[in-house]
């Protein structure tokens, strides 16, 4: 079974060594693929949340090559302490934000779909599982927002018959 991985919020430091040892293949964000005959754009999606200016600034900061180099030079206990600190700050900041700015910006979604000529967008990040149908000129497109896996999850199954949700139990 081939396994593909795209960086998310907390795993963006995974790289070539992880892929070599796990057998995963890292996909760039965004990636345009042919999925069951439909041009499909795969994205983590945080770059679509353009109304959340604080998050976008934080994202640029933590993905800075110098900061990454400095972080990776820390011991494992020091890294864990930093991650715990960042998670606490993120949770606090998120609790103070308006819901609408933490979702995708519709104009940014449409711009990406046009740029890549995609008929479907599959993404995570916002954890609001749903399918949204959009009209882009003459084309109808679908944006599928994947859920989280905190207590129960959904897998998206796509084949020649279309797409569907598969409910998955997440024990513990």
């Amino acid at each position: 079974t081939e396994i593909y991985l795209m960086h998310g919020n907390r795993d963006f430091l995974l790289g070539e060594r992880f892929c070599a040892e796990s057998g995963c293949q890292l996909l760039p964000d965004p990636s345009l693929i042919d999925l069951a005959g439909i041009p499909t754009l795969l994205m983590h999606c945080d770059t679509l949340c353009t109304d959340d200016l604080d998050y976008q600034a934080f994202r640029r900061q933590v993905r800075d090559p110098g900061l990454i180099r400095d972080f990776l030079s820390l011991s494992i206990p020091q890294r864990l302490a930093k991650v715990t600190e960042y998670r606490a700050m993120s949770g606090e900041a998120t609790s103070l934000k308006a819901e609408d700015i933490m979702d995708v910006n519709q104009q940014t979604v449409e711009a990406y779909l046009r740029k890549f000529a995609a008929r479907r967008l599959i993404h995570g990040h916002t954890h609001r599982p749903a399918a949204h149908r959009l009209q882009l000129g003459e084309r109808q497109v679908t944006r599928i927002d994947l859920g989280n896996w905190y207590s129960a999850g959904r897998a998206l199954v796509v084949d020649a018959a279309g797409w569907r949700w598969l409910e998955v139990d997440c024990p513990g």
Side-chain angles (χ1 to χ4, degrees), residues 27-47:
L27 293 176
D29 183 6
S31 285
L32 181 66
I33 64 169
D34 180 306
L35 190 58
I38 296 177
T40 301
L41 189 59
L42 304 177
M43 297 182 74
H44 171 234
C45 169
D46 62 349
T47 55

Side-chain angles (χ1 to χ4, degrees), residues 61-102:
Q61 177 187 2
V62 298
R63 298 205 182 198
D64 175 81
L67 187 128
I68 290 171
R69 184 184 59 251
D70 292 346
F71 180 81
L72 293 176
S73 72
L74 298 173
S75 68
I76 298 296
Q78 290 171 316
R79 290 184 204 178
L80 291 171
K82 278 278 188 211
V83 168
T84 300
E85 178 186 335
Y86 282 142
R87 274 198 181 155
M89 289 169 38
S90 173
E92 183 180 334
T94 300
S95 70
L96 300 173
K97 290 181 184 178
E99 281 289 319
D100 60 325
I101 71 164
M102 293 188 298

Side-chain angles (χ1 to χ4, degrees), residues 52-65 67:
D52 191 346
L53 301 177
D54 291 337
Y55 176 80
Q56 294 301 322
F58 174 75
R59 184 184 191 282
R60 282 189 301 277
Q61 177 187 2
V62 298
R63 298 205 182 198
D64 175 81
L67 187 128

